[in-house]
Amino acid sequence: MATLNVFSQTLHPTISSSFCCSSYSSSTSSNYAYVCSNSNTSKFHFFSNSLLSSLSAPSLSNSSKTLFTKSGSGSSWLQSSSTSVSNEQKNGPVHSVFPSSPAQVSSVQDLYTFISSGPLLDKIGLTPENVAESIDKWLTYGRQLCRLFQLNELFLNEPQKVRLYHYYIPVFLWCESEIAQHRSKFKDGEDIPPLVIGFSAPQGCGKTTLVFALDYLFQTFGRKSATISIDDFYLTAEGQNKLREANPGNALLEFRGNAGSHDLPISVETLSALTKMSKEGIKMKLPRYDKSAFGGRGDRADPSTWPEIEGPLEVVLFEGWMLGFKPVPVEAVKAVDPQLEIINNNLEAYYDAWDKYIKSWIVIKIKDPSCVYQWRLQAEIAMREAGNPGMSDDEVNDFVSRYLPAYNAYLPTLYSQGPNGSDPQHLLIIEIDEKRNPILGA
């Protein structure tokens, strides 16, 4: 599982001489206000969450200002857009404000229109009217994600707005709906097992960051959650050596990754225990894998370093590049790569070890598996430029080449039939572009 930095500390406000925004809350609602001023005029405007939540699409006024701006696309959706100010400017009861550089302030109507244009809205069963009724929730979720990723909520560039309002928040709302449906099946007083949501997505497409954001939102809003990756179930270094020796000359099993390189008994033990985390006081440790061990060949991390979780859990987020893959006819895999035949045979055992525990599925779909190479190359170049160890271009090509045969063999079936054992009523397929953003699928 990829390691990510958590940025959850309070953000320092940035105050502009021409714009500021403050908020306060009461027992019944949260309220927002802004003041616009220049050398000639000063105006104060006020609106509340209760007002926002009651707005319908036509009644969203262009004169009502929200907390977001329009700006250029930037090179990265996580690119910082905050600006520094003097200590004197930071005084006062300010919740958050715009930077002093020029920016066009969006209205509530602009934000509503932007959210409503998202490619996932229809897929998650929401209408523009639903968005208008719950705009305060969208603002709250967006604010929390800005805190997590250290973004200036008042000065989001286009990629940042897309990632938050067209991707992470819609997926979070879908997951919330799935959890509600799952819990509704149980009677009062019954132990409710956590819902296991599977995330099947190619390497480098951003699934770990998506899961990271969802887990943060769940925890922030009072749901106990746990995250696990298929990476955590790799064979030990010793087990991997035995696998390599048993399959001489098969490049697909020379290193960890493909079906056969996982410790399925420990995955069954872990997932089975997670589904029983329904009561207070129950604790367990989640296995973790150290990819840096043995010169990058990897090994299971020392159990003393495994994170401990405590019940009752409401949701388990389980992610992996090959979740939901299922065997296909031998002739088909041989046509892709003869070395895949044993991988195909190994996949037979993966449904009982992984997929049967998953009740809701999110599949992130790509048009061309070659994107995996480009994404990995970008990551390694960034690491090298930052002065950290990274694979060379040739090493990246060799690494990705060990996964491409499986993508070519199994993704078509995954996309056309869904994951192994999945229920179409509890399956969300998200097609993304080369920038890892959701798009309208065919």
Side-chain angles (χ1 to χ4, degrees):
M1 180 175 290
T3 301
L4 297 169
N5 294 322
V6 180
F7 302 110
S8 57
Q9 66 268 29
T10 301
L11 297 180
H12 295 294
T14 306
I15 298 181
S16 164
S17 59
S18 61
F19 188 96
C20 72
C21 171
S22 64
S23 72
Y24 68 94
S25 62
S26 66
S27 59
T28 57
S29 65
S30 295
N31 304 286
Y32 302 88
Y34 73 90
V35 57
C36 297
S37 62
N38 54 36
S39 58
N40 300 318
T41 62
S42 179
K43 296 182 179 180
F44 182 80
H45 303 267
F46 168 85
F47 56 92
S48 68
N49 272 0
S50 58
L51 171 62
L52 287 173
S53 62
S54 66
L55 291 173
S56 62
S59 68
L60 291 172
S61 171
N62 282 328
S63 63
S64 299
K65 304 300 182 181
T66 187
L67 310 182
F68 297 85
T69 67
K70 296 176 180 177
S71 64
S73 61
S75 60
S76 168
W77 80 273
L78 279 175
Q79 182 178 351
S80 174
S81 56
S82 60
T83 58
S84 60
V85 294
S86 65
N87 290 332
E88 289 79 12
Q89 289 178 302
K90 293 182 181 178
N91 296 326
V94 177
H95 168 67
S96 49
V97 293
F98 280 97
S100 56
S101 59
Q104 179 182 358
V105 181
S106 298
S107 67
V108 172
Q109 178 70 54
D110 291 333
L111 180 61
Y112 161 81
T113 301
F114 182 81
I115 293 171
S116 298
S117 69
L120 298 185
L121 210 61
D122 184 60
K123 284 193 171 187
I124 65 174
L126 292 182
T127 65
E129 288 74 21
N130 298 143
V131 174
E133 292 167 358
S134 60
I135 193 69
D136 56 330
K137 288 186 177 181
W138 289 82
L139 285 167
T140 300
Y141 298 149
R143 183 178 304 113
Q144 291 299 329
L145 290 176
C146 285
R147 288 168 61 91
L148 175 65
F149 293 115
Q150 281 193 322
L151 301 176
N152 187 331
E153 64 179 286
L154 309 178
F155 197 50
L156 296 176
N157 60 33
E158 195 73 10
Q160 292 164 353
K161 289 174 67 177
V162 167
R163 192 59 59 93
L164 299 189
Y165 290 99
H166 284 181
Y167 198 178
Y168 292 172
I169 296 175
V171 172
F172 176 70
L173 293 173
W174 184 85
C175 291
E176 283 279 272
S177 176
E178 289 293 297
I179 295 171
Q181 292 179 58
H182 169 73
R183 298 182 68 83
S184 69
K185 298 175 182 178
F186 297 85
K187 298 178 181 178
D188 291 343
E190 287 185 324
D191 287 340
I192 303 178
L195 174 67
V196 181
I197 303 177
F199 296 76
S200 181
Q203 297 146 310
C205 74
K207 64 181 177 300
T208 302
T209 307
L210 170 63
V211 168
F212 174 67
L214 296 175
D215 183 57
Y216 177 80
L217 288 176
F218 284 130
Q219 301 284 356
T220 299
F221 294 101
R223 289 199 192 276
K224 280 192 175 181
S225 56
T227 63
I228 198 79
S229 167
I230 66 172
D231 294 358
D232 299 318
F233 301 138
Y234 280 133
L235 293 168
T236 62
E238 180 182 0
Q240 189 65 53
N241 288 335
K242 291 180 179 178
L243 179 67
R244 182 167 50 252
E245 292 169 359
N247 297 275
N250 190 324
L252 304 184
L253 292 174
E254 185 176 356
F255 299 105
R256 65 180 184 270
N258 283 291
S261 64
H262 300 89
D263 186 333
L264 298 188
I266 196 173
S267 69
V268 170
E269 178 184 343
T270 301
L271 292 167
S272 178
L274 281 169
T275 60
K276 295 180 175 65
M277 296 283 289
S278 59
K279 295 181 179 179
E280 292 279 357
I282 300 178
K283 297 181 180 180
M284 68 173 289
K285 285 194 169 187
L286 296 176
R288 291 294 186 254
Y289 195 83
D290 180 5
K291 293 182 179 180
S292 67
F294 294 96
R297 286 190 173 270
D299 196 8
R300 188 167 300 149
D302 189 299
S304 65
T305 68
W306 295 2
E308 185 177 74
I309 59 172
E310 183 175 351
L313 294 180
E314 291 193 49
V315 60
V316 175
L317 308 177
F318 183 23
E319 56 106 340
W321 72 275
M322 54 170 282
L323 273 183
F325 283 13
K326 48 190 170 186
V328 297
V330 175
E331 297 75 17
V333 293
K334 283 184 175 181
V336 174
D337 188 330
Q339 298 179 106
L340 270 177
E341 184 174 0
I342 188 171
I343 307 297
N344 199 56
N345 292 335
N346 291 338
L347 271 177
E348 293 284 355
Y350 275 67
Y351 173 79
D352 287 331
W354 292 355
D355 299 340
K356 77 174 184 181
Y357 295 95
I358 299 171
K359 305 306 178 184
S360 298
W361 284 89
I362 293 176
V363 173
I364 300 177
K365 178 180 178 181
I366 59 176
K367 289 186 176 181
D368 186 352
S370 64
C371 287
V372 175
Y373 170 77
Q374 296 298 330
W375 291 332
R376 186 70 191 213
L377 185 61
Q378 290 170 3
E380 295 299 326
I381 290 175
M383 289 177 64
R384 298 199 302 261
E385 290 179 347
N388 299 317
M391 289 189 287
S392 67
D393 293 4
D394 288 341
E395 288 172 330
V396 170
N397 185 65
D398 178 67
F399 175 82
V400 174
S401 69
R402 301 173 192 274
Y403 296 89
L404 284 179
Y407 286 135
N408 291 325
Y410 302 113
L411 286 183
T413 302
L414 178 71
Y415 296 158
S416 63
Q417 301 179 12
N420 198 350
S422 64
D423 181 347
Q425 299 299 314
H426 300 282
L427 168 63
L428 177 64
I429 297 180
I430 303 170
E431 187 166 339
I432 62 172
D433 59 20
E434 66 278 0
K435 294 181 180 179
R436 307 175 182 86
N437 290 321
I439 57 177
L440 289 171

